[in-house]
Amino acid sequence: MKVTFLGTGTSQGIPVIGSTHPVCLSKDKRDKRLRVSALIELDGHTYLIDCGPDFRQQMLACGCEKIDAILYTHEHSDHVMGLDDIRPFYFKQGDIPIYAHKRVLKSLKKKFDYIFKTENKYPGAPTVSPNKIKNRPFVINNQEIIPINLKHFELQVFGFRINDFAYLTDMKTIEDKEVEKLKGLKVLVVNALRIEPHYSHLNLEEALRFIKRVNPEKAYLTHISYNLGFHETVEKTLPNNVFLAYDNLQITI
């Protein structure tokens, strides 16, 4: 399995528009973060986790040529607003399967009503094949995917486990029974927004405590704001098996 971190930033990305914060002015390319998303390549198939507003730029950067399915964590704009840009894939492949909670599908249909139309549809619009998922395993192309139920303040969010890899973003709390689904991981990806506590995201201390609880072989932090600090500085403070993800980082599991 190959994982590409397409984006590792929070909802505003880094640099933030108009900001003079030192991290936003950094020359280190690892401090420049697009909105959070990941690409999973496994057994000849390519799966996208979230499809945010930087999707087109991310696809050009990684050279992706096909998408077999899109998995949505939740409906916030930084995770969904690139859906229209799947058009080149649709023109080559046909309908693109998407997998999401029924609440998320309802939100997508409202935001992108022209994509979901079945009558008098504009011929240039892409078409998706929606699949409702619940908090139980499902299968795509003979590959089992295990949803992990999370809370983003009061909003339900799905993380996903695929074999020995798990991707959790926009998490603040998780129930014990969901943590049990994460045992035996080789790689855990989890959000770490900043140093100071936040009402709907893990901060760095909480993320490290959670990683210690899950005990994966390695962990990568994502959904990062400029308030976490400079990539080079923060990474030196982390445990030996914990790393800051950065845009276009690729790992093999």
Side-chain angles (χ1 to χ4, degrees), residues 69-110:
I70 303 173
L71 310 177
Y72 281 105
T73 60
H74 64 299
E75 66 269 38
H76 283 169
S77 292
D78 54 322
H79 296 260
V80 306
M81 291 307 291
L83 183 59
D84 183 78
D85 284 329
I86 68 169
R87 283 179 292 160
F89 295 104
Y90 166 69
F91 295 150
K92 287 197 302 182
Q93 301 173 212
D95 297 7
I96 306 296
I98 63 174
Y99 293 78
H101 188 282
K102 64 179 181 180
R103 183 198 72 247
V104 177
L105 291 175
K106 183 178 179 181
S107 176
L108 289 172
K109 289 177 183 178
K110 185 176 181 179

Side-chain angles (χ1 to χ4, degrees), residues 34-53:
L34 300 177
R35 268 64 72 91
V36 69
S37 180
L39 197 70
I40 314 298
E41 297 174 73
L42 178 63
D43 295 335
H45 298 288
T46 305
Y47 307 110
L48 177 71
I49 302 180
D50 288 335
C51 184

Side-chain angles (χ1 to χ4, degrees), residues 200-214:
S200 65
H201 289 275
L202 297 178
N203 68 354
L204 179 59
E205 180 182 356
E206 291 167 332
L208 293 177
R209 190 161 61 240
F210 178 70
I211 291 166
K212 188 174 181 179
R213 180 182 179 190
V214 174

Side-chain angles (χ1 to χ4, degrees), residues 18-246:
S19 175
T20 57
H21 189 281
V23 174
C24 291
L25 301 177
S26 172
K27 301 300 183 183
D28 187 341
K29 66 179 182 179
R30 297 172 299 176
D31 287 322
K32 301 184 186 303
R33 303 180 184 276
L34 300 177
R35 268 64 72 91
V36 69
S37 180
L39 197 70
I40 314 298
E41 297 174 73
L42 178 63
D43 295 335
H45 298 288
T46 305
Y47 307 110
L48 177 71
I49 302 180
D50 288 335
C51 184
D54 299 316
F55 173 74
R56 177 181 177 276
Q57 183 178 351
Q58 292 165 340
M59 292 295 97
L60 291 172
C62 74
C64 182
E65 296 182 352
K66 69 166 185 168
I67 292 177
D68 293 297
I70 303 173
L71 310 177
Y72 281 105
T73 60
H74 64 299
E75 66 269 38
H76 283 169
S77 292
D78 54 322
H79 296 260
V80 306
M81 291 307 291
L83 183 59
D84 183 78
D85 284 329
I86 68 169
R87 283 179 292 160
F89 295 104
Y90 166 69
F91 295 150
K92 287 197 302 182
Q93 301 173 212
D95 297 7
I96 306 296
I98 63 174
Y99 293 78
H101 188 282
K102 64 179 181 180
R103 183 198 72 247
V104 177
L105 291 175
K106 183 178 179 181
S107 176
L108 289 172
K109 289 177 183 178
K110 185 176 181 179
K111 289 182 172 78
F112 299 97
D113 61 319
Y114 63 95
I115 290 178
F116 290 83
K117 284 186 71 172
T118 56
E119 296 181 3
N120 301 316
K121 184 170 181 173
Y122 179 69
T127 301
V128 297
S129 175
N131 298 271
K132 296 179 184 178
I133 59 174
K134 298 181 179 180
N135 190 20
R136 56 175 180 246
F138 59 97
V139 175
I140 309 175
N141 300 316
N142 296 317
Q143 175 62 52
E144 181 182 61
I145 298 176
I146 302 173
I148 311 296
N149 210 43
L150 315 170
K151 278 294 184 75
H152 178 34
F153 186 45
E154 295 181 349
L155 181 69
Q156 181 274 341
V157 172
F158 275 140
F160 299 103
R161 177 171 182 162
I162 304 174
N163 296 341
D164 295 328
F165 168 80
Y167 184 93
L168 314 180
T169 188
D170 290 55
M171 179 179 78
K172 180 62 177 181
T173 58
I174 183 172
E175 295 182 1
D176 291 346
K177 63 182 180 179
E178 299 300 308
V179 177
E180 288 300 312
K181 298 178 183 179
L182 301 170
K183 298 301 182 184
L185 288 177
K186 290 184 179 178
V187 173
L188 169 67
V189 178
V190 66
N191 57 292
L193 185 73
R194 63 190 193 188
I195 302 297
E196 294 298 318
H198 189 272
Y199 69 94
S200 65
H201 289 275
L202 297 178
N203 68 354
L204 179 59
E205 180 182 356
E206 291 167 332
L208 293 177
R209 190 161 61 240
F210 178 70
I211 291 166
K212 188 174 181 179
R213 180 182 179 190
V214 174
N215 194 30
E217 291 182 13
K218 292 183 179 180
Y220 291 83
L221 304 177
T222 193
H223 207 288
I224 293 164
S225 79
Y226 64 74
N227 287 312
L228 187 65
F230 292 102
H231 183 105
E232 183 177 12
T233 302
V234 175
E235 186 148 90
K236 290 176 181 177
T237 71
L238 300 177
N240 290 335
N241 68 329
V242 181
F243 309 89
L244 285 187
Y246 55 88

